[in-house]
Amino acid sequence: MRANIFWQEFKMQLRSVITWSLSMAALIFVFVSLFSSFAKDAALLNEMMANFPEALLTAFGLNNVNLATLLGYFGFLFLFVQICLAIQAATYGFGLVSIEEREWTADFLLTKPVSRTQILTSKLLAALSSLLITDAVVWISSFVFITMFKGDSTYEPRALLLLLLSIVVFQLFFLAVGLVISLLVKRIRSVTPYAMGLGFGMYVLSVFGDMLGESVLELITPFKHFNPNYIVQNEAWDTPLVLISVVVIVISLVGSYVLYTRRNIPAVV
Amino acid sequence: MSVIEANHLTKYYGKARGIVDVSFQVNEGEIFGFIGPNGAGKSTTIRLFLSLIYPTSGSATIFGKDCIKYGPQLRQDIGYLPSDVFYYERMKVIDLLKYSASFYDRDCTQRMRELADTMELDLNRRIEDLSYGNKKKVGIVQGLLHQPKLLFLDEPTAGLDPLMQRKFFHLIQEENARGVTVFFSSHILGEVQRMCSRVGIIKEGRMIEIADIKTLQQNNYKKVLVEADALDAAHFNIPGVTNLEHSNGSVRFFYKGDINALMRTIGSVTVSNVTIEEPTLEEIFMHYYE
């Protein structure tokens, strides 16, 4: 870890961190503020939903969800926060070393007296700090807005806490997988399509998994490993699935170090 | 003592050739010219020494140490100026230079200011607003600010105006006078001839010649021009003469061999003028590539 690289990275990410954090806080504000008006008609809504075809409900992740309870409602909408978190983390993962190669600044950094392991560690820690800042904003805004708008409703704090804490591992998954993919390909021309692909792709996989009842797909996607409905209903993480995420993270990180320390840095042609 | 050493260094990019079996040494305090056309493997060689890429086979050492294993430590004393310079566009020049300086275990502030003054570099501009030539100046300052003992220059003058080129060469000669070893890659042979004592010529990934520039010139063809009335070109067709040309009372040819034999041949006719020149590096170089 080198402090100068860490701060350089952190400064370069700061604008993006602020944008993502504020957007997610705004998203949570909009969702939660609508709850009180929503709760009034929730009984009606639940009745209506019971008449919807099963497949449609599954597609929107509304199966077995009780929108009349605060956490049932919050858990359902938290999926959209998760999609944002996934895309943000994947963007940082894909860009961590590939941006320097695309903009040819890798030559500058790698001819300095630092090892590649030090470079990667510093960059990873900077990205991790950026993600933790976003996570903290999500935590704080969730608590504050829920307290502001919950009205007479009550909720189980343990369930909310577990849901909110899960996003750290959730983001790490996309950071690590994005990073290792970026090191497996020769060159990434633009980070955004990759990050959107990974983020949405995993979400779509989880939806398909629900619709097809395929438990194999559950194994792959963190949207299943950290399914908000499951956490809210069981007041617990789905431990075996979470462990899959952790294993993928560890393998991706180890793989990234191995690949990066052996990588041939492309020259301007 | 040799400062850098390549031992059968080979690099393939997949199936594409980078360099093949390149071996050479550069001695302390020397300015070593490394010449060849684009795509011959000059940058590949330099990037191998800097561990930006890893060899397919063979090895390279700097200051006697393996340049992969001891890379981070060795790079404390290495300066690098690439042919194309790219820096973090959103940074100010001064911030980039400070960032660069923060990697070294010595104070670089004073030297940085001196260099920026010499190169007339405006420190408060953003990198993205700089012209190519000015970015190149940033490159020169960041490559030299930590007072390296070894410099890798990869076609360093591209993009610099003639005035700045002169300042740059002066700077390099000053560094060299302080004992800095310079590895100078270029395809502009005039500047190599001016700066370097020894050159290596690389062709299609292989080192085809390593020699002193003087030796290269002396052991090579001499260019001879003889002017006289009524000359018979055939008179000069002695062993060692090639490219014999005859026009308007003058004869031109290349000669390689015993200089006395040539003098006797010229002496046997009445001439009005004779010039015998050593070939320029460019002509020698072209000869290797014919």
Side-chain angles (χ1 to χ4, degrees):
Chain A
M1 154 75 180
R2 295 281 301 229
N4 55 350
I5 303 177
F6 175 90
W7 286 113
Q8 167 75 11
E9 279 297 307
F10 187 75
K11 272 186 250 169
M12 289 201 291
Q13 270 169 356
L14 193 59
R15 194 192 294 242
S16 142
V17 173
I18 294 172
T19 314
W20 278 107
S21 304
L22 291 183
S23 312
M24 278 184 243
L27 192 67
I28 294 167
F29 175 81
V30 171
F31 286 163
V32 179
S33 65
L34 291 174
F35 173 68
S36 52
S37 52
F38 198 86
K40 278 184 226 151
D41 307 317
L44 201 66
L45 196 79
N46 276 341
E47 209 172 295
M48 191 172 82
M49 274 173 28
N51 294 324
F52 281 166
E54 184 88 8
L56 189 73
L57 292 176
T58 319
F60 285 97
L62 281 166
N63 218 1
N64 302 324
V65 171
N66 184 0
L67 291 174
T69 66
L70 180 63
L71 285 190
Y73 173 83
F74 186 73
F76 163 60
L77 292 172
F78 198 71
L79 184 62
F80 297 98
V81 177
Q82 277 187 329
I83 294 174
C84 294
L85 291 168
I87 293 171
Q88 183 199 18
T91 305
Y92 294 169
F94 279 112
L96 205 63
V97 294
S98 78
I99 288 180
E100 302 242 17
E101 286 178 21
R102 195 179 68 239
E103 295 177 1
W104 310 113
T105 51
D107 278 18
F108 169 84
L109 187 57
L110 270 62
T111 53
K112 298 288 171 232
V114 278
S115 69
R116 296 207 187 172
T117 311
Q118 284 175 315
I119 293 175
L120 194 56
T121 306
S122 313
K123 279 173 168 279
L124 270 172
L125 288 177
L128 194 62
S129 309
S130 301
L131 293 178
L132 282 176
I133 290 175
T134 311
D135 292 346
V137 170
V138 169
W139 294 334
I140 294 167
S141 44
S142 297
F143 268 115
V144 169
F145 298 142
I146 284 177
T147 314
M148 272 168 70
F149 295 107
K150 74 180 166 66
D152 305 330
S153 321
T154 54
Y155 66 92
E156 186 52 57
R158 185 184 148 79
L160 181 62
L161 204 65
L162 282 174
L163 178 62
L164 291 179
L165 284 178
S166 73
I167 63 178
V168 178
V169 193
F170 182 81
Q171 286 210 309
L172 257 180
F173 179 96
F174 286 94
L175 178 72
V177 172
L179 175 64
V180 79
I181 294 175
S182 82
L183 287 167
L184 283 169
V185 301
K186 212 165 194 177
R187 192 159 174 230
I188 289 195
R189 289 191 188 280
S190 170
V191 167
T192 316
Y194 280 91
M196 299 284 260
L198 183 64
F200 277 123
M202 286 298 180
Y203 168 66
V204 169
L205 274 186
S206 96
V207 172
F208 269 129
D210 285 340
M211 282 165 66
L212 302 172
E214 280 288 346
S215 57
V216 183
L217 290 174
E218 278 190 357
L219 301 179
I220 307 172
T221 165
F223 283 95
K224 275 278 147 205
H225 306 168
F226 300 98
N227 184 348
N229 296 335
Y230 181 95
I231 298 176
V232 167
Q233 280 165 23
N234 298 284
E235 290 175 27
W237 290 2
D238 193 339
T239 314
L241 289 183
V242 171
L243 280 178
I244 294 177
S245 263
V246 173
V247 169
V248 173
I249 291 167
V250 171
I251 292 174
S252 300
L253 287 179
V254 171
S256 298
Y257 274 97
V258 172
L259 289 169
Y260 189 56
T261 46
R262 294 177 185 190
R263 189 168 174 81
N264 287 312
I265 307 302
V268 183
V269 278
Chain B
M1 190 194 111
S2 66
V3 168
I4 66 184
E5 207 175 318
N7 303 311
H8 307 288
L9 210 49
T10 300
K11 176 67 184 174
Y12 279 91
Y13 302 98
K15 279 186 178 161
R17 165 198 56 77
I19 56 171
V20 184
D21 197 22
V22 167
S23 298
F24 63 92
Q25 296 183 352
V26 176
N27 300 321
E28 190 171 3
E30 181 173 36
I31 303 185
F32 183 83
F34 192 43
I35 59 182
N38 296 330
K42 299 193 297 293
S43 294
T44 297
T45 310
I46 290 182
R47 297 174 78 78
L48 282 167
F49 276 112
L50 292 164
S51 328
L52 284 168
I53 53 177
Y54 297 113
T56 311
S57 65
S59 66
T61 63
I62 293 177
F63 304 123
K65 288 178 174 166
D66 184 83
C67 64
I68 297 168
K69 199 171 166 198
Y70 296 95
Q73 178 200 335
L74 289 171
R75 290 196 290 272
Q76 281 284 353
D77 292 311
I78 298 176
Y80 170 51
L81 179 60
S83 48
D84 293 292
V85 289
F86 292 93
Y87 301 112
Y88 306 98
E89 293 278 314
R90 301 256 283 277
M91 284 176 95
K92 277 186 176 175
V93 174
I94 182 74
D95 294 330
L96 180 94
L97 294 178
K98 280 182 180 165
Y99 181 44
S100 182
S102 69
F103 285 94
Y104 301 100
D105 53 15
R106 64 206 75 149
D107 182 25
C108 307
T109 321
Q110 199 200 335
R111 184 69 181 141
M112 181 182 91
R113 298 270 170 197
E114 282 171 16
L115 288 165
D117 273 355
T118 312
M119 298 312 292
E120 296 166 28
L121 182 63
D122 184 351
L123 293 176
N124 290 312
R125 305 268 299 274
R126 275 185 202 282
I127 304 277
E128 59 190 346
D129 299 331
L130 296 181
S131 67
Y132 186 70
N134 276 321
K135 276 186 200 168
K136 197 88 191 194
K137 290 187 200 171
V138 177
I140 294 168
V141 178
Q142 75 81 30
L144 292 175
L145 55 78
H146 54 293
Q147 296 178 290
K149 296 196 186 94
L150 168 63
L151 274 174
F152 285 102
L153 310 175
D154 193 355
E155 298 182 13
T157 51
L160 287 180
D161 64 50
L163 224 59
M164 277 303 151
Q165 285 193 13
R166 221 169 74 182
K167 279 191 178 172
F168 172 69
F169 284 133
H170 187 66
L171 206 58
I172 298 302
Q173 272 159 344
E174 268 179 10
E175 291 286 317
N176 182 240
R178 289 197 299 111
V180 173
T181 310
V182 183
F183 187 87
F184 187 147
S185 136
S186 180
H187 58 227
I188 304 165
L189 300 166
E191 60 185 37
V192 173
Q193 189 164 10
R194 208 172 106 201
M195 298 285 292
C196 305
S197 42
R198 269 199 324 145
V199 291
I201 300 178
I202 189 166
K203 178 184 182 179
E204 288 160 15
R206 290 174 191 272
M207 199 71 127
I208 50 171
E209 179 81 75
I210 303 169
D212 283 353
I213 290 196
K214 282 214 175 69
T215 325
L216 262 184
Q217 289 176 321
Q218 282 163 2
N219 295 347
N220 220 291
Y221 297 77
K222 302 214 183 298
K223 293 194 298 180
V224 185
L225 169 70
V226 182
E227 287 175 54
D229 301 328
L231 265 181
D232 179 12
H235 177 68
F236 294 98
N237 206 354
I238 58 170
V241 167
T242 47
N243 292 31
L244 190 63
E245 278 174 40
H246 183 216
S247 64
N248 283 344
S250 69
V251 173
R252 260 171 223 284
F253 54 86
F254 290 162
Y255 178 74
K256 188 175 187 178
D258 180 12
I259 196 76
N260 294 303
L262 175 67
M263 296 311 286
R264 280 193 291 273
T265 310
I266 296 172
S268 66
V269 289
T270 313
V271 298
S272 58
N273 192 18
V274 174
T275 55
I276 301 175
E277 286 176 336
E278 285 179 346
T280 62
L281 188 54
E282 184 142 352
E283 284 160 324
I284 298 169
F285 180 76
M286 291 321 252
H287 161 73
Y288 278 110
Y289 274 86
E290 265 158 14

